[in-house]
């Protein structure tokens, strides 16, 4: 499947992704357009897909997103705009959610035809915090890995620090 990270070319069939998403462009089945949108997703290799309502956000908004394990196999996945009444979240309970071994910062783009359709500002993920189940901090050692498609329109990723990553357009 072309959304499986290249870092794991033979993923376990129970591979899944939980993610709050800041999207730009059209992303079926959740819609979109030439604007920024916020939603939360759960996806598996076996075709299970759940998503929350897409909420429009503005360039410059500060968004707090999190994925929090709230039960043995239950996760809260959500995002909200700081200082605004804009949020989108879902809670998912699945047996394969008892462990989540990977963390990714991802740029996903769909239905774009040329570079003029890219956003005209970088996206920075700041104040990234990862903790183990008992609240012990984890300091990530981020690695660049490309999806199955080459970088388009000189899009780059800067690993500023363990707690900050910038995607440039």
């Amino acid at each position: 499947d072309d959304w499986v990270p290249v870092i794991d070319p033979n993923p376990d069939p129970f591979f899944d992704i939980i993610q709050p998403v800041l999207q730009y462009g059209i992303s079926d089945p959740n819609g979109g357009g030439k604007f920024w949108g916020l939603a939360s997703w759960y996806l598996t290799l076996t075709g299970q897909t759940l998503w929350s309502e897409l909420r429009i956000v503005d360039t410059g908004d500060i968004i707090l997103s999190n994925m929090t394990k709230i039960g043995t196999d239950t996760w809260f996945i959500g995002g909200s705009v700081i200082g605004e009444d804009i949020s989108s979240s879902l809670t998912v309970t699945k047996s394969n959610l008892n462990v989540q071994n990977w963390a990714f910062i991802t740029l996903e783009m769909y239905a774009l035809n040329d570079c003029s359709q890219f956003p005209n500002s970088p996206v920075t993920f700041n104040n990234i915090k990862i903790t183990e189940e008992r609240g012990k901090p984890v300091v990530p050692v981020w690695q660049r890995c490309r999806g199955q498609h080459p970088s388009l329109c000189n899009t780059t990723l800067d690993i500023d620090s363990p707690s900050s990553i910038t995607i440039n357009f």
Side-chain angles (χ1 to χ4, degrees):
D1 234 327
D2 98 338
W3 60 268
V4 176
V6 176
I7 198 164
D8 191 0
N10 297 305
D12 182 303
F14 297 107
F15 182 88
D16 61 1
I17 292 180
I18 57 173
Q19 61 184 4
V21 173
L22 174 63
Q23 77 177 55
Y24 190 91
I26 297 170
S27 175
D28 290 328
N30 201 18
K34 196 168 184 175
F35 56 82
W36 290 104
L38 178 65
S40 295
W41 288 77
Y42 170 78
L43 306 105
T44 71
L45 289 178
T46 58
Q48 296 179 22
T49 305
L50 303 170
W51 64 88
S52 63
E53 177 184 359
L54 180 68
R55 301 291 307 271
I56 295 174
V57 297
D58 293 320
T59 298
D61 280 348
I62 298 172
I63 298 170
L64 173 65
S65 296
N66 80 74
M67 297 162 289
T68 303
K69 189 174 184 181
I70 58 174
T72 303
D73 55 2
T74 302
W75 285 76
F76 169 85
I77 309 157
S80 60
V81 177
I82 302 296
E84 302 285 335
D85 188 23
I86 300 171
S87 64
S88 191
S89 65
L90 71 141
T91 300
V92 179
T93 301
K94 299 284 182 183
S95 60
N96 57 310
L97 284 174
N98 61 342
V99 175
Q100 289 293 300
N101 294 324
W102 299 93
F104 297 94
I105 302 293
T106 304
L107 170 62
E108 296 181 22
M109 301 171 83
Y110 303 95
L112 299 179
N113 299 315
D114 62 57
C115 297
S116 69
Q117 293 176 295
F118 276 58
N120 57 11
S121 59
V123 174
T124 300
F125 297 82
N126 284 317
N127 204 16
I128 299 168
K129 295 178 183 172
I130 300 175
T131 59
E132 292 181 5
E133 191 167 346
R134 291 173 184 74
K136 180 181 176 189
V138 173
V139 178
V141 179
W142 299 108
Q143 298 176 16
R144 285 180 184 83
C145 65
R146 294 246 183 240
Q148 296 185 13
H149 305 286
S151 178
L152 299 172
C153 303
N154 299 315
T155 301
T156 61
L157 178 121
D158 294 330
I159 300 172
D160 307 314
S161 72
S163 64
S164 180
I165 294 176
T166 300
I167 299 174
N168 301 288
F169 304 99

